[in-house]
Amino acid sequence: MRPLRLASLILLNAILIQILAACGLVASPSPTPTPIAVPDGWVLVWHDEFDGDEIDTQSWTYDLGGGGWGNGESEVYTNRSENARLENGLLVIEARKEPNDKGGFEFTSARLKTQGLQTFQYGRIEARIQVPAGAGLWPAFWMLGSNIPQVGWPDCGEIDIMEYVGKDPDVILGTLHGPGYSGALGFTQWNRQTYNIADDFHVYAIEWDADQISWFYDGENYHTVTREDVGARAWPFDQPFFIILNLAVGGTLGGLISPDTVFPAQYLVDYVRVFQSDN
């Protein structure tokens, strides 16, 4: 067979597979895994590429239930595969609007955490994420001090690596919360872009050491908080923290849920990686 004809047949076959996958007649081809790039001066100490068939229960567990989660949120968190699963090399956290047994509806979603399984003190914590679009959606990538069962919040400390609210489609937030600077008093920086952030994947990260935490969006440092900035107040960021990924609906920051927001809404995570200094 002539090379040109063979190449044409290969191309046509690939196009046919894509069409059949789009119609649900064959499984979608798996995406190429994102290469692990270790930055200079860092060592990879833990990661999840979400390339398996099921969520890794050695790394992730769930927060469950509703009640607003201290923020007036509208969703109920579950551990159902409808709300959290692996699909085509991605972690999919899906918010759904579902009928309830009272004749109305409720929002369901998922909140995954590494609490009790994987904790980290200092380093570069990074994830490649595509947030969902829609007013009322509130996805986050964040961390809490592992001593929260003993001291509570905000004394445990909170590092919000990324928060996105669909009502402000061109903005992401990075925030530090602690005793005396929690809630609206947190050290927050808005990072505004010239495009809708939900249209594509972006890399969100912090670099954290004993005296400061810096926030990065696609490699650009846009926010830093130091121990000196906190002043005489406690700095609870010299202990192990665990990672959280969740998709909230509504709430004090998420805001009103627009009737135009499309459900199910998917929060997609390509990977989570933790690096620590090589010295």
Side-chain angles (χ1 to χ4, degrees), residues 33 65 83 111 118 143 149 154 163 176 183 210 217 235 255 273 279:
N83 295 115
R111 175 161 148 163
Q118 304 287 345
M143 305 181 77
E163 290 181 283
L176 198 69
Y217 174 80
W235 174 268
R273 298 170 183 166
N279 60 8

Side-chain angles (χ1 to χ4, degrees), residues 54-72:
E54 296 182 351
I55 293 170
D56 180 9
T57 56
Q58 299 302 307
S59 292
W60 301 98
T61 184
Y62 297 83
D63 277 322
L64 302 174
W69 294 95
N71 299 300

Side-chain angles (χ1 to χ4, degrees), residues 206-225:
I206 58 165
E207 292 183 3
W208 165 31
D209 64 30
D211 295 312
Q212 70 177 37
I213 302 173
S214 296
W215 281 254
F216 295 82
Y217 174 80
D218 285 341
E220 179 182 351
N221 174 210
Y222 70 93
H223 184 34
T224 297
V225 181

Side-chain angles (χ1 to χ4, degrees), residues 91-148:
L91 170 64
V92 179
I93 300 178
E94 185 169 292
R96 304 172 64 90
K97 183 177 180 180
E98 305 184 82
N100 62 24
D101 57 8
K102 299 180 178 61
F105 66 86
E106 66 182 4
F107 296 100
T108 62
S109 187
R111 175 161 148 163
L112 282 72
K113 59 183 183 176
T114 67
Q115 185 177 18
L117 300 169
Q118 304 287 345
T119 60
F120 311 97
Q121 182 174 344
Y122 309 141
R124 178 180 172 89
I125 294 86
E126 171 184 304
R128 183 171 181 265
I129 288 169
Q130 183 170 15
V131 295
L137 298 177
W138 179 9
F141 169 40
W142 52 302
M143 305 181 77
L144 286 172
S146 59
N147 65 344
I148 189 171

